[in-house]
Amino acid sequence: MNIDVAGSINSGQVFLWDRYGNTWYGINGQNVLAVGSSGRIRSYLGTGTDFFRRRDDMGVILESISRDGRVKKAVKKYPGLRILDQDPFQCLISFIISSNSNIQKIRSCLGKLVQRLGEKVEFEGRVFSLFPDADRIAGATAGEIQGCGVGYRAGFVRDAARMVRDGRLDIEEIKKADYYDAMEAILSVPGVGSKVADCVMLFSLDKLDAFPLDRWMLRILEKYRGRFKPDTKTITKRQYGMLHEELVGYFGPYAGYAQQFLFKMERDDYQKGWL
DNA sequence: CCAAGGCCTGAATG
DNA sequence: ACATTCAGGCCTT
């Protein structure tokens, strides 16, 4: 089954990707990736990466998550949608910045962050700014970070980077842990709650049972009324955990994929209403 | 344990 | 124009 490169990049998982001609270019940590419509990846470092998670057996996964008509419809509509496997540190910082914000603003903030703090490299005739590493962000001044428009999240971003720099947050170790241990570890990072933690786990730590519950997903789940507990506008940490249990029980071990398909369909339908 | 309010910021809404 | 609200949460009372 072919990968929908553009659709996957434009599904709220990554923010530092742009298209030039027929090729998508994206910042992924200390690497720059170039992807044509075939899905074949070239990279600045020349190292291989399974960014589109070709290792996943989509036949098994799609079968597993197709528990109802709504998911089946989304799967049929976006057969090439994939969860991306991105750089964990970049993912962490990106989603700390994402909280209480919107995609355009996130793109703007992250764009400034890499442009101002990231190392410039040339790749395929273009100049890109790599994502600043933990050292660089941890050592940045408050003004440097806040100047990127992140507002009150500036302290969170810097402190998160310091945790990584000082080894108080060992991302590679967390990657080996199961969902619950990983969740607990990531929640210790300032500015990271359940939703951001789920995003980091699903998009960069190989936890396909992570199911980010944001306002959009809660809205979608309202349509399942009866199966999932009624929703209030905001949910507590405890409610979040209980809902996650129910969702994994319902969608199975690849629940994160179900989330991504449902989310994509809802977002596109919403956009359509505005065109 | 839960509810309510504050928070940077820019775009949308009145 | 200008004020208010809201956005893909989190933290503190």
Side-chain angles (χ1 to χ4, degrees), chain A residues 230-271:
Chain A
D231 312 309
T232 46
K233 256 181 200 161
T234 61
I235 57 177
T236 66
K237 180 179 172 184
R238 178 188 166 78
Q239 289 173 314
Y240 190 105
M242 290 182 359
L243 209 71
H244 175 261
E245 286 286 295
E246 293 178 44
L247 288 163
V248 171
Y250 179 70
F251 290 113
Y254 308 110
Y257 265 103
Q259 185 272 353
Q260 203 57 29
F261 279 99
L262 291 170
F263 183 76
K264 176 75 173 169
M265 183 163 68
E266 183 76 6
R267 289 290 305 201
D268 281 4
D269 286 352
Y270 175 80
Q271 266 197 331

Side-chain angles (χ1 to χ4, degrees), chain A residues 1-4 7-8 10-13 52 56-84 202-203 208 210-212 216-217 220 223-224 251 254-269:
Chain A
M1 203 181 293
N2 283 337
I3 291 172
D4 180 0
S8 300
N10 290 306
S11 65
Q13 303 183 59
F52 293 98
D56 287 343
D57 187 335
M58 293 311 291
V60 169
I61 290 173
L62 296 183
E63 168 74 21
S64 171
I65 63 173
S66 292
R67 303 295 168 96
D68 58 64
R70 196 179 306 280
V71 181
K72 285 179 185 169
K73 184 179 168 191
V75 167
K76 192 170 180 180
K77 193 167 180 182
Y78 305 99
L81 180 64
R82 293 292 182 273
I83 284 173
L84 307 176
L202 181 60
F203 303 144
L208 297 183
F211 196 110
W216 288 94
M217 271 316 301
I220 295 167
K223 299 171 183 172
Y224 284 87
F251 290 113
Y254 308 110
Y257 265 103
Q259 185 272 353
Q260 203 57 29
F261 279 99
L262 291 170
F263 183 76
K264 176 75 173 169
M265 183 163 68
E266 183 76 6
R267 289 290 305 201
D268 281 4
D269 286 352

Side-chain angles (χ1 to χ4, degrees), chain A residues 115-132:
Chain A
Q115 190 163 8
R116 296 178 186 192
L117 303 184
E119 182 191 344
K120 307 277 183 296
V121 299
E122 192 181 326
F123 177 52
E124 300 194 347
R126 296 179 182 280
V127 175
F128 296 92
S129 301
L130 302 178
F131 200 82

Side-chain angles (χ1 to χ4, degrees), chain A residues 9-180:
Chain A
I9 286 171
N10 290 306
S11 65
Q13 303 183 59
V14 291
F15 307 97
L16 292 173
W17 283 75
D18 287 295
R19 187 171 60 82
Y20 300 107
N22 292 321
T23 303
W24 285 92
Y25 288 92
I27 308 303
N28 193 46
Q30 302 304 301
N31 205 354
V32 183
L33 306 182
V35 189
S37 51
S38 70
R40 224 187 71 78
I41 301 173
R42 303 183 300 277
S43 78
Y44 164 69
L45 293 177
T47 55
T49 168
D50 189 17
F51 193 69
F52 293 98
R53 299 187 62 95
R54 290 177 185 279
R55 62 188 181 281
D56 287 343
D57 187 335
M58 293 311 291
V60 169
I61 290 173
L62 296 183
E63 168 74 21
S64 171
I65 63 173
S66 292
R67 303 295 168 96
D68 58 64
R70 196 179 306 280
V71 181
K72 285 179 185 169
K73 184 179 168 191
V75 167
K76 192 170 180 180
K77 193 167 180 182
Y78 305 99
L81 180 64
R82 293 292 182 273
I83 284 173
L84 307 176
D85 196 3
Q86 50 178 303
D87 176 76
F89 178 67
Q90 177 175 337
C91 190
L92 174 67
I93 299 300
S94 297
F95 281 94
I96 287 175
I97 287 173
S98 82
S99 88
N100 197 20
S101 187
N102 54 68
I103 291 180
Q104 280 202 336
K105 186 77 190 349
I106 300 164
R107 283 178 56 86
S108 158
C109 292
L110 287 172
K112 288 176 186 166
L113 189 71
V114 297
Q115 190 163 8
R116 296 178 186 192
L117 303 184
E119 182 191 344
K120 307 277 183 296
V121 299
E122 192 181 326
F123 177 52
E124 300 194 347
R126 296 179 182 280
V127 175
F128 296 92
S129 301
L130 302 178
F131 200 82
D133 61 19
D135 261 343
R136 181 66 183 93
I137 296 181
T141 66
E144 276 181 306
I145 301 176
Q146 188 139 24
C148 299
V150 301
Y152 62 86
R153 306 167 193 81
F156 296 156
V157 168
R158 195 195 50 199
D159 290 344
R162 288 183 177 174
M163 286 183 72
V164 173
R165 178 194 63 182
D166 301 340
R168 279 144 49 214
L169 190 76
D170 187 338
I171 291 178
E172 288 311 311
E173 200 58 35
I174 293 172
K175 198 165 182 174
K176 296 177 198 159
D178 69 11
Y179 175 85
Y180 299 97

